[in-house]
Structures are given as C-alpha cells and as structure tokens.
Amino acid sequence: MLNRPLDRPLNRPLSLSLLRGRWTGLAGTFAALCLGAAILTASALLLTSAGPRVPARYAAVPLLVRGPGLPGEENDFAENPPWSPETTEALVRALASVPGVAAVVPYRDPGPYVPDDEAARSGDGVTRSGDGVRVIGLRTEPGADLSAVRAAAGRAVRGAGDGTARVLAGEDRAEAEPAADARTRWIGMQVLTAMALLGGFVSVFVVASTFAFRVVQRRREFGLLRVAGATPRQVRLIVYGEALAVGVVAAVAGALLGAAVAPALGRVLVTAGFEPASFDVRLTPLPVAGAVAAGIAAGLLGAWSASGRAARVRPLEALRDHAAGGTPMTRLRWITGVTAVAGGLALAAASASAREDSLVNAVLVAAMALIMGLTLLAPVTLPPLVRAFAWPISRAAVGMLAGRNALAAVRRTAATAAPVLLTVGFTVLVTGMVRTTAAAYAMGNPAADQAEEDRLVWLFTLLLVGVSAGYSGLAIVNTQVMAASARVREFAVLRLSGATRRQVIGATAAEAVLVTGIGTTLGFAVAVPALLGMRAGLSQKAGAAAPLVIPWPSVAAVVTACLALAAGAATLFTSGAISPRRPLFPRSGKGA
C-alpha cells in the first residue's frame, strides 16, 4: 500500500497544490529570480543599444561622403585628417553635378585647416592636420533612386581625385561619428560587456543555487511523498513543475522591471561619461525574451541539480533530519568541481598574455570558473574551514553549538556561504583589478593626465561592484532567512532541551558569523589568483613590475556589510520564530 504509485489524476495537480501550500517558503526563490531577470534584462538592453548611431547633425542627410579611416583603439581614436580647401572645393563641384543631388552640404568643424608642413614647423614637435571639412552631406531630389545616386557620387569622388573617400548611406552613416564619441562608446562597450558578463553570472548562479537549496530543505517532505507512494519520477516532476511555475512568473515580472529601469540606467551612463550624448536605450523584444528564457533556464538548472537527490530520497528519510542526510559529493560533482578549479587557474595564468581590451573579461571569466569549482567542492572544503573558524569560540556553549550546526549541515552552510563568496570575491577582484590597472597606467603617464581617467575608473568600479555586491547582498539576506525558516522545529527542540531564548539567537548569529568568515576566505581564494594573472599581464605590457593594489578599506567595508546582513537577518528571523507568543511546535508543514 505504501509503495503504490500515486494515481495519475492525483499526480497532475500535485505540484500546483504543493506550490500553493508552500508559497511563503518559495518567496525567497521568487525574489532571487525576479531580481536576477531584472539584471539580465537591463544588461541585455543596454548592451544591444550600445552600437554606433548616426550623429544628429547628419540625420536629415541621406548620403554622406567621408574621408578614409575610422577613429578607433588602433589609432588612439584620432580624428581623420580634413580635406584641404582645394580638395573640398573640387569634391563639392563634382558632387553638385551628380544627377539626383539637390544640395551639397560641407560640414565644417570649428578651427581652420592647417597643412601638415606648417604644423610640423609649429615647434611643439607634433604634426597636426587641423580642423576643417571631413564630411560632406548630399541632399537628394524627391523621388531620386538612392542607390543610383550613391553609385554616381562614388564615381564623382574618384573623378575629383580622392579615390579613398567613401559614400555612406543608411546606418552606415554612423561611421561619420566624431572621434570623441567613438572613444566614449568604446569605453562604454567595455563597461557594459563586463557588467553584462558579471551580472549574468551572478544572477544565474544565485538563482540556481537558491532553487537547489530550497529542494535540499524539503528532503523530509519528499520522504513523506515517497511514503505516500510517489515514484522517483513523480518527485522529479514535482520539482520541475514548481521551478517552472515560479520561474515563469518571476522571470516575466523581473523582465518588466528591468525594461522599466534600463532607460534610467542609460541616462546614468551618459551622465557618467561612459556613453555619448546620442546614446539611448532601445526597447526591443529580443533581449527581453532572451532574459526571460535565461531566468527560467536558471531556475530549471537549479531544479535539475537537486531533482536527482530529491528523486533518490527513500521513504525512511521522512524520519531523519533533512539537513544532514545523504552523501554530499558524487562522481560528477568531483569531476566538474576539479575541472572548474583547474580551468580557472589556467585562465588566470593565461590572462597574463591577453590583449588589453580583453584583459578585464579574461580575469572575470577566470574568477567565475574558480567560484563554480569552489562551490561544487564546498562539501569537501568547508569542514576544515568550519573547524578552523569555530575553534576560537568553541569553549563557549553558544560557539560550540554554532560550529556543530554548521559542520552537521554542510549543504546549508555551503548555500549560505555562497552569496558571501560572490560578494567578497567580486569586490576584491573588481576593486583590486581597477586599482592595479590604474597603478600600472600611472607608471607611464604624467599625473596631470590622470584626473579624467581616475574619475572613469572609480565610476567603473562602482558600477561593477554595485551589480555584483548589491544583488549578492540581497541574496545573503535571502538565504539566511530561508535557512532560518527551515529550522523552526530545531529551535523548538533546543528550547525544550534547556537552551534559553538568548542562547538560541546567539548560536544562530554565531553561525552566521562563521559562514561570513568562510565565505570571505573563499572569496579571497577566488580573487587573488585572477589578480595575480592580471598583474603579470600588465607588467608584461608596461615593461616593468606593476604593483598589486587592493583597496583594503573598501574591502573591509563590504565584509562588514556582509557580516551585518547575515547576522542581522539570522537574528531577526530567529527572534521572531521563537517569540514567547508563538507555540514551540507550529502546525505541520510550516517551518519544516
């Protein structure tokens, strides 16, 4: 009778019934996925909107004639040399005779044209071409064939003696943007790429780990389902059904939130100097749909990683402590974790030879691989760290209880330490990366040239740290509340065993402190190898040993914030859970 599979009509609505009964417990996973989808949506919209635009001064002209070359990183974003007055006059006469051209508009930049030989004699040792006409616009007659006029204009330009000039039409006119805008847009692309990469990883990682943690917390519930006759396949379908139901609603809500805040973030980027004044966010459906799909996939990934364990729960697991049962490590987890750590160390070493424009992203990817590896290997790496951090406080009853609880529930400790690892790891990495890069740059540049660079550098730091540490900080509170909510019965047992209310709260807070210390240690273990690889690359490019600079006050402030968030959330929830006005043992299903 106990092993009889659940009837098909009962199995079909079972997942939704459990979801309605567990909506309070799923609030944490909903919040993580909603915020993650918002970050993914905003990052995707900003990144897809960051391409070159047709400058506003050329918007009303369908055709542009432009000199050769484009301002870019390879030429330090130098503006193209203007045409001489004689060449400009010859081009205007030739283009005015093209059939279909109604008017020829030379766009003159401020300043006179200066020949190269005169600039060379100016005495400062720098050859300048001066300002002048670099772009000529063509207004076409009504009904004129634009492609035919473009071809004829190209022949006219070659006939006037300038075989290197280009005739631009449509979106190609964006190539005529000023060199200053091209440089700003290039800087913004580096910022947005790093922000999207970092935000996407943090979002997917937090969402997947939160879903997996939620499934681990419900081990006893799945044991009861097995007692009632549920098959492993039915348990797995329940997990997937809940992840899909919560994932769809949360991802859509997060995508709408991200699309709403993306224009405001775009204006912040323009104000900060990371995007030109012409930048605006284009609300296109593809990035939003991609963010929704990524959010749902992240939830299903977390469900997949834990559904196997849920399906393997035996009926007798209903009688055991759900936090301590089971074998933490599997062969696949060993292989994946070791491979990720080895790959992260290899990427950190390889970043020494990365190009300057890809160095930041190479370092970030190396850190992400190390985070994945250490998280997968947490059941192996955490016990020694727990013993080391618990030893100084083990003589006190509260400290001993905190250490034993953290050691007995390895999965819970790993889940609550993961957001701290992310927050501290990326804070150390980003701030150290920015300060080390600035120090290496200052080795070959005078102090007078540093003001604008320093401003952009620190704004870049604030953006990246805000994306990673801000969301991860919310995840710290989220996981602490989820962990404490599943321990209401455990708290009741401690009270009945003679522990005072203050001792239970103190043990929970001490455990949160232990978790913060462990996460901080692992965060440094992630960031330092990546920073060493980046410093080697900067030293090789500078031709001298670049210093490794870590802004310790900023890192200490973030670690203190993590400690306050973790201990504060655990203390507040535990205090409410064991309030004298509440019964020691709540009704079945709540707090289990």
Short mmCIF file of all heavy atoms in Angstrom, two decimals, residues 204-267:
data_model
loop_
_atom_site.label_atom_id
_atom_site.label_comp_id
_atom_site.label_asym_id
_atom_site.label_seq_id
_atom_site.Cartn_x
_atom_site.Cartn_y
_atom_site.Cartn_z
N VAL A 204 22.44 34.11 -12.60
CA VAL A 204 22.22 32.68 -12.84
C VAL A 204 22.73 31.86 -11.66
O VAL A 204 22.08 30.90 -11.22
CB VAL A 204 22.90 32.27 -14.16
CG1 VAL A 204 22.84 30.76 -14.33
CG2 VAL A 204 22.22 32.95 -15.34
N PHE A 205 23.89 32.24 -11.13
CA PHE A 205 24.46 31.48 -10.02
C PHE A 205 23.56 31.55 -8.79
O PHE A 205 23.27 30.52 -8.16
CB PHE A 205 25.85 32.04 -9.69
CG PHE A 205 26.56 31.32 -8.57
CD1 PHE A 205 27.31 30.19 -8.83
CD2 PHE A 205 26.45 31.76 -7.27
CE1 PHE A 205 27.95 29.52 -7.81
CE2 PHE A 205 27.09 31.11 -6.23
CZ PHE A 205 27.85 29.97 -6.51
N VAL A 206 23.12 32.76 -8.42
CA VAL A 206 22.28 32.91 -7.24
C VAL A 206 20.95 32.21 -7.42
O VAL A 206 20.47 31.50 -6.51
CB VAL A 206 22.08 34.40 -6.92
CG1 VAL A 206 21.01 34.60 -5.85
CG2 VAL A 206 23.39 35.02 -6.45
N VAL A 207 20.34 32.37 -8.59
CA VAL A 207 19.04 31.74 -8.83
C VAL A 207 19.15 30.23 -8.77
O VAL A 207 18.35 29.54 -8.11
CB VAL A 207 18.47 32.21 -10.18
CG1 VAL A 207 17.26 31.37 -10.57
CG2 VAL A 207 18.08 33.68 -10.10
N ALA A 208 20.14 29.67 -9.46
CA ALA A 208 20.29 28.21 -9.48
C ALA A 208 20.59 27.67 -8.09
O ALA A 208 20.01 26.66 -7.67
CB ALA A 208 21.40 27.82 -10.46
N SER A 209 21.48 28.32 -7.36
CA SER A 209 21.81 27.83 -6.02
C SER A 209 20.63 27.99 -5.06
O SER A 209 20.44 27.14 -4.18
CB SER A 209 23.04 28.57 -5.48
OG SER A 209 22.78 29.96 -5.37
N THR A 210 19.82 29.05 -5.22
CA THR A 210 18.67 29.23 -4.35
C THR A 210 17.63 28.15 -4.59
O THR A 210 17.06 27.59 -3.64
CB THR A 210 18.04 30.62 -4.58
OG1 THR A 210 19.03 31.62 -4.35
CG2 THR A 210 16.88 30.85 -3.65
N PHE A 211 17.36 27.83 -5.86
CA PHE A 211 16.42 26.75 -6.16
C PHE A 211 16.94 25.42 -5.61
O PHE A 211 16.19 24.64 -5.02
CB PHE A 211 16.21 26.65 -7.67
CG PHE A 211 15.02 27.43 -8.16
CD1 PHE A 211 15.16 28.74 -8.57
CD2 PHE A 211 13.77 26.85 -8.22
CE1 PHE A 211 14.08 29.47 -9.01
CE2 PHE A 211 12.67 27.57 -8.68
CZ PHE A 211 12.83 28.89 -9.08
N ALA A 212 18.22 25.15 -5.81
CA ALA A 212 18.79 23.90 -5.31
C ALA A 212 18.71 23.83 -3.79
O ALA A 212 18.41 22.77 -3.21
CB ALA A 212 20.24 23.77 -5.78
N PHE A 213 19.00 24.94 -3.11
CA PHE A 213 18.93 24.96 -1.65
C PHE A 213 17.50 24.71 -1.18
O PHE A 213 17.28 24.00 -0.18
CB PHE A 213 19.43 26.32 -1.16
CG PHE A 213 19.42 26.47 0.34
CD1 PHE A 213 19.81 25.43 1.16
CD2 PHE A 213 19.03 27.67 0.91
CE1 PHE A 213 19.81 25.58 2.54
CE2 PHE A 213 19.04 27.83 2.29
CZ PHE A 213 19.42 26.77 3.10
N ARG A 214 16.53 25.26 -1.87
CA ARG A 214 15.14 25.06 -1.49
C ARG A 214 14.75 23.59 -1.59
O ARG A 214 14.03 23.06 -0.72
CB ARG A 214 14.24 25.92 -2.38
CG ARG A 214 12.76 25.78 -2.08
CD ARG A 214 12.44 26.21 -0.68
NE ARG A 214 11.04 25.95 -0.35
CZ ARG A 214 10.57 25.88 0.87
NH1 ARG A 214 11.38 26.02 1.90
NH2 ARG A 214 9.29 25.67 1.08
N VAL A 215 15.23 22.90 -2.61
CA VAL A 215 14.92 21.48 -2.77
C VAL A 215 15.58 20.67 -1.65
O VAL A 215 14.98 19.74 -1.09
CB VAL A 215 15.37 20.99 -4.16
CG1 VAL A 215 15.25 19.48 -4.26
CG2 VAL A 215 14.52 21.64 -5.24
N VAL A 216 16.82 21.01 -1.30
CA VAL A 216 17.52 20.30 -0.23
C VAL A 216 16.78 20.47 1.09
O VAL A 216 16.68 19.53 1.90
CB VAL A 216 18.97 20.80 -0.11
CG1 VAL A 216 19.64 20.27 1.13
CG2 VAL A 216 19.77 20.38 -1.33
N GLN A 217 16.22 21.65 1.33
CA GLN A 217 15.49 21.89 2.57
C GLN A 217 14.25 21.00 2.71
O GLN A 217 13.80 20.76 3.82
CB GLN A 217 15.04 23.35 2.63
CG GLN A 217 16.15 24.33 2.96
CD GLN A 217 15.60 25.74 3.11
OE1 GLN A 217 14.83 26.21 2.27
NE2 GLN A 217 15.98 26.40 4.17
N ARG A 218 13.74 20.51 1.60
CA ARG A 218 12.47 19.77 1.62
C ARG A 218 12.68 18.26 1.55
O ARG A 218 11.81 17.53 1.10
CB ARG A 218 11.60 20.26 0.46
CG ARG A 218 11.27 21.73 0.54
CD ARG A 218 10.65 22.23 -0.73
NE ARG A 218 9.42 21.54 -1.04
CZ ARG A 218 8.80 21.59 -2.21
NH1 ARG A 218 9.33 22.31 -3.18
NH2 ARG A 218 7.69 20.93 -2.42
N ARG A 219 13.82 17.82 2.02
CA ARG A 219 14.13 16.39 1.96
C ARG A 219 13.09 15.56 2.72
O ARG A 219 12.67 14.50 2.27
CB ARG A 219 15.53 16.16 2.52
CG ARG A 219 16.10 14.79 2.25
CD ARG A 219 17.54 14.69 2.71
NE ARG A 219 18.14 13.44 2.31
CZ ARG A 219 18.73 13.24 1.15
NH1 ARG A 219 18.79 14.23 0.27
NH2 ARG A 219 19.25 12.07 0.84
N ARG A 220 12.70 16.05 3.91
CA ARG A 220 11.71 15.31 4.70
C ARG A 220 10.37 15.26 3.98
O ARG A 220 9.68 14.23 3.98
CB ARG A 220 11.56 15.97 6.06
CG ARG A 220 10.51 15.29 6.95
CD ARG A 220 10.43 16.00 8.28
NE ARG A 220 11.66 15.82 9.03
CZ ARG A 220 12.05 16.63 10.01
NH1 ARG A 220 11.31 17.67 10.32
NH2 ARG A 220 13.16 16.41 10.67
N GLU A 221 9.99 16.35 3.34
CA GLU A 221 8.72 16.37 2.62
C GLU A 221 8.72 15.36 1.48
O GLU A 221 7.72 14.65 1.27
CB GLU A 221 8.47 17.77 2.06
CG GLU A 221 7.21 17.90 1.24
CD GLU A 221 7.07 19.28 0.64
OE1 GLU A 221 7.40 20.26 1.33
OE2 GLU A 221 6.63 19.37 -0.52
N PHE A 222 9.83 15.26 0.76
CA PHE A 222 9.90 14.28 -0.32
C PHE A 222 9.88 12.86 0.23
O PHE A 222 9.35 11.95 -0.41
CB PHE A 222 11.16 14.52 -1.16
CG PHE A 222 11.14 15.82 -1.91
CD1 PHE A 222 12.25 16.65 -1.91
CD2 PHE A 222 10.02 16.23 -2.60
CE1 PHE A 222 12.24 17.85 -2.58
CE2 PHE A 222 9.99 17.43 -3.27
CZ PHE A 222 11.10 18.26 -3.26
N GLY A 223 10.47 12.67 1.42
CA GLY A 223 10.37 11.35 2.05
C GLY A 223 8.93 10.99 2.35
O GLY A 223 8.51 9.84 2.16
N LEU A 224 8.14 11.96 2.83
CA LEU A 224 6.73 11.70 3.09
C LEU A 224 5.98 11.38 1.80
O LEU A 224 5.07 10.53 1.79
CB LEU A 224 6.11 12.92 3.77
CG LEU A 224 6.54 13.18 5.23
CD1 LEU A 224 5.99 14.50 5.72
CD2 LEU A 224 6.08 12.03 6.12
N LEU A 225 6.32 12.07 0.72
CA LEU A 225 5.69 11.74 -0.56
C LEU A 225 6.02 10.32 -1.00
O LEU A 225 5.16 9.60 -1.54
CB LEU A 225 6.14 12.74 -1.63
CG LEU A 225 5.55 14.16 -1.52
CD1 LEU A 225 6.18 15.08 -2.55
CD2 LEU A 225 4.04 14.13 -1.70
N ARG A 226 7.26 9.91 -0.76
CA ARG A 226 7.62 8.53 -1.09
C ARG A 226 6.85 7.54 -0.22
O ARG A 226 6.44 6.47 -0.68
CB ARG A 226 9.12 8.31 -0.90
CG ARG A 226 10.01 9.11 -1.86
CD ARG A 226 9.77 8.73 -3.31
NE ARG A 226 9.79 7.31 -3.53
CZ ARG A 226 10.88 6.56 -3.65
NH1 ARG A 226 12.07 7.15 -3.60
NH2 ARG A 226 10.81 5.26 -3.86
N VAL A 227 6.63 7.88 1.06
CA VAL A 227 5.81 7.04 1.93
C VAL A 227 4.40 6.93 1.38
O VAL A 227 3.77 5.86 1.43
CB VAL A 227 5.80 7.61 3.37
CG1 VAL A 227 4.76 6.89 4.21
CG2 VAL A 227 7.17 7.46 4.00
N ALA A 228 3.89 8.05 0.84
CA ALA A 228 2.54 8.05 0.28
C ALA A 228 2.45 7.32 -1.05
O ALA A 228 1.34 7.16 -1.58
CB ALA A 228 2.05 9.48 0.11
N GLY A 229 3.58 6.90 -1.61
CA GLY A 229 3.56 6.12 -2.84
C GLY A 229 4.08 6.82 -4.07
O GLY A 229 3.99 6.29 -5.17
N ALA A 230 4.65 8.04 -3.91
CA ALA A 230 5.18 8.75 -5.07
C ALA A 230 6.43 8.06 -5.59
O ALA A 230 7.30 7.62 -4.81
CB ALA A 230 5.51 10.19 -4.70
N THR A 231 6.53 7.94 -6.90
CA THR A 231 7.71 7.34 -7.52
C THR A 231 8.80 8.39 -7.67
O THR A 231 8.53 9.60 -7.61
CB THR A 231 7.35 6.77 -8.90
OG1 THR A 231 6.96 7.86 -9.75
CG2 THR A 231 6.20 5.77 -8.80
N PRO A 232 10.06 7.97 -7.87
CA PRO A 232 11.12 8.96 -8.11
C PRO A 232 10.82 9.88 -9.28
O PRO A 232 11.12 11.07 -9.23
CB PRO A 232 12.35 8.08 -8.37
CG PRO A 232 12.09 6.82 -7.62
CD PRO A 232 10.61 6.60 -7.72
N ARG A 233 10.20 9.34 -10.34
CA ARG A 233 9.87 10.18 -11.49
C ARG A 233 8.85 11.24 -11.11
O ARG A 233 8.95 12.40 -11.54
CB ARG A 233 9.33 9.30 -12.62
CG ARG A 233 8.92 10.09 -13.87
CD ARG A 233 8.47 9.14 -14.98
NE ARG A 233 8.03 9.89 -16.15
CZ ARG A 233 6.80 10.34 -16.31
NH1 ARG A 233 5.87 10.12 -15.37
NH2 ARG A 233 6.47 11.00 -17.40
N GLN A 234 7.86 10.87 -10.28
CA GLN A 234 6.85 11.84 -9.87
C GLN A 234 7.46 12.93 -9.00
O GLN A 234 7.10 14.11 -9.11
CB GLN A 234 5.72 11.13 -9.14
CG GLN A 234 4.83 10.30 -10.07
CD GLN A 234 3.83 9.45 -9.31
OE1 GLN A 234 4.14 8.94 -8.24
NE2 GLN A 234 2.63 9.31 -9.86
N VAL A 235 8.38 12.56 -8.12
CA VAL A 235 9.06 13.57 -7.29
C VAL A 235 9.85 14.53 -8.16
O VAL A 235 9.84 15.75 -7.95
CB VAL A 235 9.98 12.88 -6.25
CG1 VAL A 235 10.84 13.91 -5.53
CG2 VAL A 235 9.15 12.09 -5.25
N ARG A 236 10.54 13.98 -9.17
CA ARG A 236 11.32 14.83 -10.06
C ARG A 236 10.40 15.79 -10.83
O ARG A 236 10.72 16.97 -11.01
CB ARG A 236 12.11 13.95 -11.03
CG ARG A 236 13.15 14.72 -11.84
CD ARG A 236 13.93 13.81 -12.75
NE ARG A 236 14.84 12.94 -12.00
CZ ARG A 236 14.68 11.62 -11.87
NH1 ARG A 236 13.64 11.02 -12.43
NH2 ARG A 236 15.53 10.91 -11.18
N LEU A 237 9.24 15.30 -11.27
CA LEU A 237 8.30 16.15 -12.00
C LEU A 237 7.73 17.24 -11.09
O LEU A 237 7.47 18.36 -11.54
CB LEU A 237 7.17 15.30 -12.58
CG LEU A 237 7.55 14.40 -13.76
CD1 LEU A 237 6.35 13.57 -14.19
CD2 LEU A 237 8.06 15.24 -14.93
N ILE A 238 7.54 16.93 -9.81
CA ILE A 238 7.05 17.94 -8.87
C ILE A 238 8.07 19.07 -8.77
O ILE A 238 7.71 20.26 -8.79
CB ILE A 238 6.80 17.30 -7.49
CG1 ILE A 238 5.56 16.40 -7.55
CG2 ILE A 238 6.63 18.37 -6.42
CD1 ILE A 238 5.35 15.58 -6.31
N VAL A 239 9.35 18.72 -8.65
CA VAL A 239 10.40 19.73 -8.53
C VAL A 239 10.43 20.60 -9.79
O VAL A 239 10.48 21.84 -9.71
CB VAL A 239 11.75 19.06 -8.28
CG1 VAL A 239 12.88 20.10 -8.31
CG2 VAL A 239 11.75 18.33 -6.95
N TYR A 240 10.39 19.95 -10.96
CA TYR A 240 10.42 20.72 -12.20
C TYR A 240 9.17 21.58 -12.35
O TYR A 240 9.24 22.72 -12.84
CB TYR A 240 10.53 19.77 -13.39
CG TYR A 240 11.92 19.25 -13.63
CD1 TYR A 240 12.14 17.88 -13.79
CD2 TYR A 240 13.01 20.10 -13.70
CE1 TYR A 240 13.42 17.39 -14.01
CE2 TYR A 240 14.28 19.62 -13.91
CZ TYR A 240 14.48 18.26 -14.06
OH TYR A 240 15.75 17.78 -14.27
N GLY A 241 8.01 21.05 -11.96
CA GLY A 241 6.78 21.81 -12.09
C GLY A 241 6.79 23.07 -11.24
O GLY A 241 6.37 24.15 -11.68
N GLU A 242 7.26 22.95 -10.00
CA GLU A 242 7.34 24.12 -9.14
C GLU A 242 8.34 25.13 -9.68
O GLU A 242 8.08 26.35 -9.68
CB GLU A 242 7.73 23.70 -7.72
CG GLU A 242 6.64 22.93 -7.01
CD GLU A 242 7.03 22.61 -5.58
OE1 GLU A 242 8.14 23.03 -5.18
OE2 GLU A 242 6.25 21.96 -4.87
N ALA A 243 9.50 24.64 -10.15
CA ALA A 243 10.52 25.55 -10.69
C ALA A 243 9.98 26.28 -11.92
O ALA A 243 10.22 27.48 -12.09
CB ALA A 243 11.78 24.78 -11.04
N LEU A 244 9.24 25.58 -12.76
CA LEU A 244 8.69 26.21 -13.96
C LEU A 244 7.61 27.22 -13.61
O LEU A 244 7.57 28.33 -14.17
CB LEU A 244 8.13 25.13 -14.90
CG LEU A 244 7.64 25.61 -16.27
CD1 LEU A 244 8.80 26.23 -17.05
CD2 LEU A 244 7.03 24.46 -17.05
N ALA A 245 6.72 26.86 -12.66
CA ALA A 245 5.64 27.77 -12.30
C ALA A 245 6.19 29.06 -11.69
O ALA A 245 5.81 30.17 -12.07
CB ALA A 245 4.69 27.08 -11.32
N VAL A 246 7.10 28.91 -10.72
CA VAL A 246 7.69 30.09 -10.09
C VAL A 246 8.57 30.84 -11.09
O VAL A 246 8.59 32.07 -11.13
CB VAL A 246 8.50 29.69 -8.84
CG1 VAL A 246 9.21 30.90 -8.24
CG2 VAL A 246 7.59 29.07 -7.80
N GLY A 247 9.32 30.09 -11.91
CA GLY A 247 10.26 30.70 -12.84
C GLY A 247 9.58 31.57 -13.88
O GLY A 247 10.05 32.67 -14.19
N VAL A 248 8.45 31.11 -14.43
CA VAL A 248 7.77 31.88 -15.46
C VAL A 248 7.25 33.21 -14.90
O VAL A 248 7.47 34.29 -15.46
CB VAL A 248 6.62 31.05 -16.07
CG1 VAL A 248 5.73 31.93 -16.94
CG2 VAL A 248 7.17 29.89 -16.88
N VAL A 249 6.57 33.14 -13.75
CA VAL A 249 6.00 34.36 -13.16
C VAL A 249 7.11 35.33 -12.75
O VAL A 249 7.06 36.53 -13.05
CB VAL A 249 5.12 34.00 -11.96
CG1 VAL A 249 4.58 35.27 -11.31
CG2 VAL A 249 3.96 33.11 -12.39
N ALA A 250 8.14 34.81 -12.06
CA ALA A 250 9.21 35.68 -11.57
C ALA A 250 10.04 36.25 -12.72
O ALA A 250 10.44 37.42 -12.68
CB ALA A 250 10.11 34.91 -10.60
N ALA A 251 10.32 35.44 -13.74
CA ALA A 251 11.12 35.92 -14.85
C ALA A 251 10.40 37.00 -15.64
O ALA A 251 11.00 38.00 -16.06
CB ALA A 251 11.50 34.76 -15.77
N VAL A 252 9.10 36.83 -15.86
CA VAL A 252 8.34 37.86 -16.58
C VAL A 252 8.28 39.15 -15.76
O VAL A 252 8.49 40.26 -16.29
CB VAL A 252 6.92 37.34 -16.90
CG1 VAL A 252 6.05 38.46 -17.45
CG2 VAL A 252 7.00 36.20 -17.90
N ALA A 253 8.03 39.02 -14.46
CA ALA A 253 7.99 40.21 -13.61
C ALA A 253 9.35 40.91 -13.58
O ALA A 253 9.45 42.14 -13.66
CB ALA A 253 7.56 39.83 -12.19
N GLY A 254 10.42 40.12 -13.48
CA GLY A 254 11.76 40.70 -13.48
C GLY A 254 12.11 41.36 -14.80
O GLY A 254 12.77 42.40 -14.83
N ALA A 255 11.68 40.75 -15.92
CA ALA A 255 11.96 41.34 -17.23
C ALA A 255 11.26 42.69 -17.38
O ALA A 255 11.83 43.65 -17.92
CB ALA A 255 11.53 40.38 -18.34
N LEU A 256 10.01 42.78 -16.92
CA LEU A 256 9.30 44.06 -16.98
C LEU A 256 9.99 45.10 -16.10
O LEU A 256 10.11 46.28 -16.49
CB LEU A 256 7.85 43.87 -16.53
CG LEU A 256 6.98 42.99 -17.44
CD1 LEU A 256 5.59 42.80 -16.84
CD2 LEU A 256 6.87 43.60 -18.84
N LEU A 257 10.47 44.68 -14.93
CA LEU A 257 11.19 45.61 -14.05
C LEU A 257 12.49 46.07 -14.70
O LEU A 257 12.82 47.26 -14.68
CB LEU A 257 11.46 44.92 -12.72
CG LEU A 257 12.29 45.73 -11.70
CD1 LEU A 257 11.55 47.00 -11.30
CD2 LEU A 257 12.59 44.86 -10.47
N GLY A 258 13.23 45.14 -15.30
CA GLY A 258 14.48 45.51 -15.95
C GLY A 258 14.27 46.43 -17.13
O GLY A 258 15.05 47.38 -17.34
N ALA A 259 13.22 46.18 -17.93
CA ALA A 259 12.92 47.06 -19.06
C ALA A 259 12.51 48.45 -18.59
O ALA A 259 12.78 49.45 -19.27
CB ALA A 259 11.82 46.45 -19.92
N ALA A 260 11.88 48.54 -17.41
CA ALA A 260 11.46 49.84 -16.91
C ALA A 260 12.64 50.67 -16.41
O ALA A 260 12.64 51.90 -16.57
CB ALA A 260 10.44 49.65 -15.78
N VAL A 261 13.65 50.03 -15.82
CA VAL A 261 14.77 50.79 -15.24
C VAL A 261 15.91 50.97 -16.24
O VAL A 261 16.80 51.80 -16.00
CB VAL A 261 15.31 50.09 -13.97
CG1 VAL A 261 14.21 49.94 -12.94
CG2 VAL A 261 15.93 48.74 -14.29
N ALA A 262 15.91 50.24 -17.36
CA ALA A 262 17.02 50.34 -18.31
C ALA A 262 17.20 51.76 -18.86
O ALA A 262 18.34 52.23 -18.95
CB ALA A 262 16.82 49.34 -19.45
N PRO A 263 16.14 52.49 -19.27
CA PRO A 263 16.37 53.86 -19.76
C PRO A 263 17.02 54.76 -18.71
O PRO A 263 17.87 55.59 -19.05
CB PRO A 263 14.96 54.33 -20.12
CG PRO A 263 14.20 53.07 -20.42
CD PRO A 263 14.73 52.07 -19.46
N ALA A 264 16.62 54.62 -17.44
CA ALA A 264 17.23 55.44 -16.39
C ALA A 264 18.71 55.09 -16.23
O ALA A 264 19.56 55.98 -16.06
CB ALA A 264 16.50 55.24 -15.07
N LEU A 265 19.05 53.80 -16.32
CA LEU A 265 20.46 53.39 -16.25
C LEU A 265 21.23 53.95 -17.45
O LEU A 265 22.41 54.31 -17.32
CB LEU A 265 20.55 51.87 -16.20
CG LEU A 265 20.05 51.20 -14.93
CD1 LEU A 265 20.14 49.69 -15.06
CD2 LEU A 265 20.85 51.67 -13.72
N GLY A 266 20.58 54.00 -18.61
CA GLY A 266 21.24 54.56 -19.78
C GLY A 266 21.58 56.02 -19.59
O GLY A 266 22.67 56.47 -19.97
N ARG A 267 20.67 56.76 -18.97
CA ARG A 267 20.96 58.19 -18.70
C ARG A 267 22.09 58.33 -17.70
O ARG A 267 22.90 59.28 -17.77
CB ARG A 267 19.69 58.87 -18.20
CG ARG A 267 18.62 59.05 -19.28
CD ARG A 267 17.52 59.96 -18.82
NE ARG A 267 16.73 59.39 -17.73
CZ ARG A 267 15.67 58.62 -17.89
NH1 ARG A 267 15.26 58.31 -19.13
NH2 ARG A 267 15.01 58.14 -16.86
#
